[in-house]
Amino acid sequence: MMTQFENNNFGDVLLNRHSVRHFDKDVKIPREELREMIKETITAPSACNLQAWQFIVVDTDEGKKKLHEFYMPFNNPQIDTSSAIIQIFGNTLAFKKYRALWDHMYEEKRISKEELDKVYNTFLPLYEHADKTMLTADAMVDSSLAAMQLMLVARAHGYETNAMAGYDAKKAASVMGLDPAQYVPVMGIAIGKPDKSAEELKSVRYPVDDILKFE
């Protein structure tokens, strides 16, 4: 199947994108396609290849009830009508799997022993001795890049999205079965087909010259 990225100019995909708050309840995205979208999402840039992200796909009524426990009511339309909400968390302890990842790359001969040793002597100690503030910041950046990529991937698959904040960050991880000491909530991405009969608010962006400076 030809994706929208292949079928259209990439700039058109970006410029035509808009936020959707009301989705078609009758559209159900197959889990295999959701899995494929996440697989495409995790090719996003990641600092030192740490991949400090975690995804929870919520596509059942039971799962959506959990989201209502920590999301603000203004997000109810997206939660209740979307095909799925993908809740994204930053993993502040992702570095604990870091050695195994690079060992695997070395075993597959993707990197040399010299390159492996360089990782062990630079990147790995950086994270092993980092404080929680740095680990959280890195996880938030990695996960935010993945979130934006997910929105573009979803559009390429023919769906629309809505990025959601507005929740109790202290509850999010524990309600979703994660350790709040390790996982920090970043955002939720509601995904599905838009309800064409719904009236959606059209946002206005500031002129580019208001937010752009060249040096």
Side-chain angles (χ1 to χ4, degrees):
M1 180 179 70
M2 181 176 288
T3 68
Q4 192 154 352
F5 282 148
E6 294 170 320
N7 198 33
N8 291 327
N9 178 276
F10 183 61
D12 291 339
V13 174
L14 293 177
L15 292 174
N16 291 331
R17 203 200 157 274
H18 62 281
S19 181
V20 175
R21 297 183 62 83
H22 299 84
F23 294 87
D24 185 342
K25 290 183 178 181
D26 294 329
V27 174
K28 188 71 173 176
I29 303 174
R31 286 193 169 184
E32 191 54 43
E33 186 173 12
L34 288 166
R35 182 185 294 275
E36 179 60 32
M37 283 192 275
I38 297 299
K39 184 177 178 181
E40 294 168 10
T41 294
I42 60 175
T43 64
S46 167
C48 301
N49 198 31
L50 193 63
Q51 304 174 61
W53 44 53
Q54 180 71 36
F55 304 87
I56 297 181
V57 178
V58 180
D59 64 348
T60 65
D61 291 339
E62 293 77 12
K64 290 184 176 184
K65 286 179 183 178
K66 291 183 179 181
L67 295 179
H68 282 301
E69 292 182 38
F70 60 90
Y71 268 96
M72 304 302 177
F74 58 77
N75 284 310
N76 287 351
Q78 302 96 297
I79 293 173
D80 295 336
T81 64
S82 62
S83 296
I85 299 90
I86 301 173
Q87 193 66 34
I88 304 173
F89 292 87
N91 181 4
T92 64
L93 299 182
F95 68 87
K96 289 186 175 292
K97 299 190 297 182
Y98 206 48
R99 189 179 294 274
L101 174 70
W102 287 94
D103 283 345
H104 180 67
M105 291 177 65
Y106 173 67
E107 289 165 4
E108 290 194 337
K109 303 188 185 311
R110 296 188 183 188
I111 59 172
S112 66
K113 184 63 166 61
E114 181 181 5
E115 290 170 320
L116 181 65
D117 290 340
K118 183 178 180 180
V119 169
Y120 286 165
N121 293 321
T122 54
F123 298 152
L124 188 59
L126 177 68
Y127 288 106
E128 287 178 332
H129 297 100
D131 61 19
K132 184 66 177 290
T133 300
M134 176 188 163
L135 294 173
T136 299
D138 258 30
M140 293 288 285
V141 170
D142 269 16
S143 299
S144 295
L145 287 167
M148 187 69 250
Q149 178 136 322
L150 173 58
M151 296 174 78
L152 295 174
V153 165
R155 190 73 192 279
H157 279 253
Y159 301 107
E160 296 292 348
T161 57
N162 184 281
M164 303 188 299
Y167 50 75
D168 187 337
K170 294 180 180 179
K171 290 183 178 180
S174 57
V175 169
M176 301 310 294
L178 298 176
D179 180 0
Q182 177 176 352
Y183 294 96
V184 292
V186 178
M187 71 183 76
I189 304 292
I191 179 172
K193 294 281 190 177
D195 179 353
K196 294 182 179 179
S197 66
E199 290 288 334
E200 300 287 8
L201 178 66
K202 303 297 183 181
S203 63
V204 176
R205 300 291 163 154
Y206 294 114
V208 67
D209 289 335
D210 285 5
I211 51 86
L212 174 65
K213 179 182 178 181
F214 290 103
E215 290 285 357

